Structures are given as C-alpha cells and as structure tokens.
Amino acid sequence: MKRKREMEKGSEISSAIEELTLMVKVLKPGDDHDAAHIPTKPFLYVCNLVIQVLDKIGPTMAVLRQDIHQNIQRLETAHESDPLLNSNLVEILKKESSEGNARKVTSCSRAFLWLTRSMDFTLALLQKLAKDPEQRMEQAVEESYNTTLKLWHGWISAAAFKVVALKLVPDNKTFTNLLMGKDGNCETLKEEMQTLISLFLPLLEENHSILSFYGLERLKST
C-alpha cells in the first residue's frame, strides 16, 4: 500500500527514480558475478513502473507490454516459491545454470534476459526524447527498437513490430503531457528522464555483464 500511495503522489518516472536510488545502495557490482546482488522485488517494481510508461505510448506497445508483464510474473512466482533464496536475481540465474535449465524457453533466466532488453528499449527511447524533444515519436520508437530489441527478434517479430507497433504512436506533445501528469512541466520531466537514465543505465550494464557470464547474452527469441 505504501508504494501505491507513493505512485499516486508523483509520476511513474519519479517513483522509479526513488526505487532505483534505494537499489543502488544494495547493489554489489564488480567482476565477481557469483557474489553480485540484484534485489528481485525492487527490480521488478521498477519494471512494473516502466510498463506504465510504455502504456503512455498507447496500444501499439501492447505486445511488448504483455511480454514484460509475463516475464515479471515468472520471476515473481520464483521469488514467492523461496523468498529468502530468490530475493537475489543472481541466485535464480545461478541455480538454473547449475541445473542446466537456464536456456529453456520458460526459464527465469530468459525472463530476466528479456526484461533487461525491454528496459534497454525504454531507456533508449527516453534518452532520445530527453536529448531531442522535437524528434518524431515514430522515429524515436523505431530507432530505439533497432538498436536494442531488433537484433534478438526473429524476422516475424521484427516485421510485426514495424507493421503494428509504429501505428498510432502519439505525437511528442501528447506523450510528454501524459508522462508529466497534470502538475508537471517539460523542464522537470526532462530532468527526471535524465536522472532515471543515469541511475538505470549502470544497473542494466551490470545485468548484461551477469547475463554474459552465464552464457545468456546472445540468446534470441524462439
């Protein structure tokens, strides 16, 4: 309930900033990936907030949103099955790797991989809009997809994104107004996006490093 009340007070981006600020204090980045710590519930909470940012783009993001939601659910289920052990996402990857299940389609490791890639896409989009607020949304969405998700999608998924996801994309002003909320302003939103990027980017880079360590970084969609 506390987190819900906090979200009601501010935007999804400001809520994500608050959560990431707390996460930074418990992260254990570095070369020893076995000892790394990425708190499961806080990371999934941030991903849930990102879903709400994608909702602002509209129904064109429905497929990606559903994919993110399913991956969050899979990791939440794993966490609930053993809250103590699975409070650290790295422990989930380590367990599946040792059992030889990490590369399976329904694995939590794949869920973590695709969640990370989806966050890459969202962050790339926000980076573009923060840098050039006048850039057309269609162009920003397509370029962000091309540099993050397209490489890992098969041709059917890539074609579907181009045909479906780029339709009905709102204009910049509409999207910006939705992100700001009724009490926001453009300058504050830009600062929030830049803060979110500065906090989230190192975490995603650490995620990719860990995924590479467990041999998952190059997996493509099935």
Side-chain angles (χ1 to χ4, degrees):
M1 288 298 294
K2 183 179 177 183
R3 280 179 170 172
K4 185 177 180 181
R5 288 196 297 271
E6 287 172 351
M7 283 177 57
E8 289 171 351
K9 293 179 182 178
S11 68
E12 293 84 1
I13 291 179
S14 62
S15 297
I17 289 171
E18 291 178 17
E19 191 66 35
L20 286 165
T21 300
L22 295 173
M23 282 181 66
V24 168
K25 298 177 181 179
V26 298
L27 292 177
K28 296 179 181 177
D31 296 330
D32 187 0
H33 296 301
D34 274 338
H37 183 80
I38 299 175
T40 303
K41 290 193 73 174
F43 178 72
L44 297 181
Y45 176 63
V46 171
C47 291
N48 268 312
L49 291 170
V50 168
I51 284 182
Q52 295 174 56
V53 173
L54 292 176
D55 281 344
K56 303 293 193 295
I57 301 176
T60 60
M61 291 289 106
V63 175
L64 180 59
R65 184 196 189 286
Q66 181 64 21
D67 185 56
I68 294 172
H69 181 66
Q70 289 175 346
N71 289 326
I72 289 174
Q73 283 190 317
R74 193 179 305 167
L75 289 167
E76 283 179 339
T77 299
H79 177 267
E80 291 166 3
S81 70
D82 192 337
L84 184 60
L85 176 65
N86 295 334
S87 63
N88 179 7
L89 281 164
V90 179
E91 290 300 323
I92 298 176
L93 267 65
K94 191 187 300 183
K95 182 174 185 292
E96 288 190 338
S97 178
S98 66
E99 294 172 346
N101 296 324
R103 300 172 73 89
K104 289 185 177 180
V105 176
T106 57
S107 72
C108 288
S109 298
R110 273 191 182 263
F112 178 60
L113 170 67
W114 282 103
L115 263 184
T116 298
R117 288 172 175 171
S118 298
M119 298 305 106
D120 288 339
F121 164 78
T122 308
L123 211 61
L125 178 59
L126 293 179
Q127 282 179 307
K128 287 184 177 297
L129 296 176
K131 183 178 180 180
D132 182 10
E134 301 302 317
Q135 183 178 17
R136 290 187 307 110
M137 274 293 293
E138 293 173 13
Q139 181 183 358
V141 170
E142 184 171 18
E143 289 180 356
S144 299
Y145 174 77
N146 288 344
T147 58
T148 56
L149 293 171
K150 185 177 180 179
L151 177 64
W152 313 112
H153 279 167
W155 71 269
I156 294 178
S157 297
F161 184 91
K162 194 169 184 66
V163 171
V164 178
L166 296 180
K167 304 296 182 184
L168 304 176
V169 172
D171 59 65
N172 292 41
K173 185 175 181 180
T174 300
F175 181 63
T176 299
N177 287 339
L178 288 170
L179 283 181
M180 284 191 301
K182 60 181 180 180
D183 299 323
N185 62 74
C186 289
E187 197 56 41
T188 299
L189 176 61
K190 183 177 180 179
E191 291 175 2
E192 285 185 342
M193 288 195 292
Q194 290 171 336
T195 300
L196 177 66
I197 291 163
S198 67
L199 288 169
F200 211 179
L201 193 58
L203 172 59
L204 294 178
E205 289 174 348
E206 177 69 7
N207 285 5
H208 283 294
S209 182
I210 292 168
L211 286 162
S212 180
F213 177 78
Y214 287 102
L216 302 167
E217 179 75 353
R218 308 297 297 177
L219 288 182
K220 293 190 175 185
S221 61
T222 54

